[in-house]
Amino acid sequence: MFLAVKIAISYPNSLYFRSDSITARFGNKSAYPFDESEIVNVPSRSTTIVFKIALCLSGQMRTFLTCLPSLEKYLITPLQPDIFIHTWAQVGQSVRDKSGPDKDLITLDELSSYYDPIKAVVEEYSTDFTEKLFNVEVPELLKEAEPLSYKGAIPMYYKIAMCNSLKQEHEAEMESKYDYVIRLRPDLQINEPIPRRIFDEPNVLWYGDQHFNDEKKVSDKFAIGTSEAIDTY
């Protein structure tokens, strides 16, 4: 069962990929709006968190410095997740949004200073990856259907999978699984608190459903679910 939730997210300096309110939906029907009483309270660092949560950040870092304060406010401070990062040394730039990158290159030491991750990997990027990475090639039908967007598909999904692998490695080391995992691109802002109800429904995969038909796919930019759900995602 998949239940979509709209959570206000945006690119820096842009109204693209943004909703005006938080609304949960089942299929195509509005199920219920969230009210203020359902927002996760922001605890102090000394407060005990009920759930063990992982935050997986993957893909190009792009405008990550601009977005980091919103992650601190709505994800890192209230939820205190273990952070995992799998990215490219080349910070990159969106072909759609055109927001300039916050810097040209990123190092592992810099990532550690910004996010204090449990595990992080920085790899060199090649433009060849837009066509083929390892034994995976972009289908010709996808190139015809999405002549601009297809170029980021293989690198993006590769990074999602590899970042999740870092999370799985740590789970094996801990001999336990995370209760919930958040998958997010580092160049997106979280503009509202995460509704508490999300953490009360473990059999549901929550995802940002802006700007596409959610009958056919789920967001590759933002998702929240149990560790097992994100492994499948």
Side-chain angles (χ1 to χ4, degrees):
M1 178 172 63
F2 294 95
L3 187 63
V5 61
K6 286 186 178 180
I7 297 178
I9 304 172
S10 68
Y11 293 110
N13 305 318
S14 173
L15 294 178
Y16 179 73
F17 200 59
R18 177 172 184 156
S19 64
D20 295 328
S21 63
I22 299 176
T23 306
R25 306 192 309 144
F26 184 76
N28 293 323
K29 299 180 180 179
S30 177
Y32 40 71
F34 290 111
D35 57 44
E36 292 183 359
S37 65
E38 295 182 87
I39 299 301
V40 176
N41 291 325
V42 178
S44 66
R45 283 292 183 179
S46 61
T47 302
T48 300
I49 301 300
V50 176
F51 297 116
K52 185 69 172 175
I53 297 174
L55 172 59
C56 292
L57 300 172
S58 62
Q60 292 181 323
M61 299 304 292
R62 296 180 181 174
T63 53
F64 74 101
L65 286 177
T66 304
C67 299
L68 183 55
S70 75
L71 270 63
E72 283 278 3
K73 181 177 181 179
Y74 293 121
L75 292 182
I76 297 174
T77 297
L79 303 179
Q80 300 182 42
D82 286 346
I83 299 175
F84 300 89
I85 304 173
H86 215 292
T87 188
W88 305 105
Q90 292 73 20
V91 172
Q93 180 179 0
S94 170
V95 295
R96 286 182 181 274
D97 184 58
K98 301 301 181 182
S99 295
D102 289 327
K103 55 198 284 103
D104 294 328
L105 298 172
I106 190 73
T107 66
L108 191 58
D109 286 343
E110 288 175 312
L111 283 181
S112 297
S113 68
Y114 292 130
Y115 295 95
D116 190 24
I118 296 295
K119 292 177 182 286
V121 173
V122 178
E123 296 178 313
E124 289 291 325
Y125 180 77
S126 170
T127 54
D128 293 340
F129 297 161
T130 61
E131 302 290 333
K132 181 178 180 180
L133 183 57
F134 298 118
N135 293 321
V136 179
E137 295 187 46
V138 179
E140 291 300 323
L141 286 176
L142 180 57
K143 293 181 182 180
E144 295 173 5
E146 297 288 345
L148 183 63
S149 299
Y150 87 84
K151 295 181 179 181
I154 290 181
M156 177 191 65
Y157 287 119
Y158 164 73
K159 285 298 180 181
I160 292 176
M162 295 307 295
C163 192
N164 192 64
S165 294
L166 295 180
K167 183 268 300 180
Q168 291 175 318
E169 288 175 7
H170 192 61
E171 288 178 325
E173 293 165 0
M174 297 189 301
E175 298 183 347
S176 65
K177 286 186 173 291
Y178 287 99
D179 296 305
Y180 287 92
V181 179
I182 301 170
R183 177 281 185 274
L184 180 68
R185 277 177 34 176
D187 64 332
L188 292 176
Q189 293 175 320
I190 301 295
N191 296 328
E192 294 174 349
I194 301 299
R196 187 171 59 228
R197 180 172 291 173
I198 286 180
F199 303 106
D200 292 333
E201 301 188 48
N203 295 322
V204 175
L205 174 68
W206 300 80
Y207 59 94
D209 68 344
Q210 296 89 339
H211 291 278
F212 61 81
N213 185 344
D214 58 302
E215 288 185 338
K216 298 180 180 179
K217 58 183 179 180
V218 298
S219 173
D220 53 34
K221 300 176 179 67
F222 174 76
I224 302 176
T226 62
S227 184
E228 293 82 358
I230 296 299
D231 287 346
T232 301
Y233 165 89

